[in-house]
Amino acid sequence: MSNTWIYKIMTTEQWACLNREGFWTGSDVDRRDGYIHFSAWDQVLGTLEKHFAGQSDLLLIGVPLSSVESELKWEVSRGGQEFPHLYRELRTSDVGNRRTIDWDGRFQIGDPLSEGDCDPNVDGERLANETRGETEMPLRYPL
């Protein structure tokens, strides 16, 4: 498990919301549980297969551990593994990198992300403009 980065799997709509608002309070599951679910690198593929099978509008968001460490807890979850849980909203300033996740009958995630490893096809402003006027996700909730 990498000790320097954690990863969030997001839809392009969720990414657009984060980019537009400057913060994101998580998915319905995140808000229900009271924290934002993340994965370590060696957990990403299992998380994709369990929770996102067949989806094609996904992004892998890399967050340096140092930017969220004080509000992050590693807690036992699936299969007895410890997963990173963020007990506050995700902020655009937390995001270190991002890339699209390819689906061709199975997920293709490539190598671990590194500083500045951004997919040039993931344009947050374009995505934000495309989703304006659509159903908005709730932006704030108590943690």
Side-chain angles (χ1 to χ4, degrees), residues 5 7 17 28 38 46 48 51-52 58 67 70 72-73 82 90-91 99-100 104 117 120 131-132 136 142-143:
W5 292 85
Y7 301 92
C17 182
D28 290 341
F38 280 83
L48 281 164
H51 299 288
F52 299 94
L58 300 175
S67 69
S70 64
L72 190 77
K73 292 182 182 177
E82 287 190 347
L90 178 63
R91 302 171 189 144
R99 90 162 55 122
T100 56
D104 65 0
D117 183 21
T131 59
R132 277 194 201 349
E136 293 294 320
L143 288 177

Side-chain angles (χ1 to χ4, degrees), residues 67-73 85-88 91 94:
S67 69
V68 295
E69 219 162 10
S70 64
E71 292 126 331
L72 190 77
K73 292 182 182 177
H85 298 149
L86 181 62
Y87 282 86
R88 67 160 169 81
R91 302 171 189 144
D94 298 329

Side-chain angles (χ1 to χ4, degrees), residues 1 9 18 25 30 33 35 39 46 48 54 57 79 81-82 85 96 100-101 124 131 140 143:
M1 166 168 23
I9 300 156
L18 168 64
T25 59
D30 294 327
D33 291 346
Y35 52 81
S39 298
L48 281 164
D57 66 335
Q81 294 182 63
E82 287 190 347
H85 298 149
T100 56
I101 299 172
T131 59
R140 294 201 186 273
L143 288 177

Side-chain angles (χ1 to χ4, degrees), residues 35-91:
Y35 52 81
I36 298 180
H37 295 261
F38 280 83
S39 298
W41 178 253
D42 60 345
Q43 298 166 327
V44 168
L45 195 54
T47 299
L48 281 164
E49 291 169 346
K50 180 172 176 67
H51 299 288
F52 299 94
Q55 290 187 36
S56 59
D57 66 335
L58 300 175
L59 303 172
L60 184 62
I61 308 301
V63 174
L65 198 54
S66 60
S67 69
V68 295
E69 219 162 10
S70 64
E71 292 126 331
L72 190 77
K73 292 182 182 177
W74 291 81
E75 298 174 306
V76 176
S77 188
R78 182 176 71 234
Q81 294 182 63
E82 287 190 347
F83 282 78
H85 298 149
L86 181 62
Y87 282 86
R88 67 160 169 81
E89 74 276 358
L90 178 63
R91 302 171 189 144

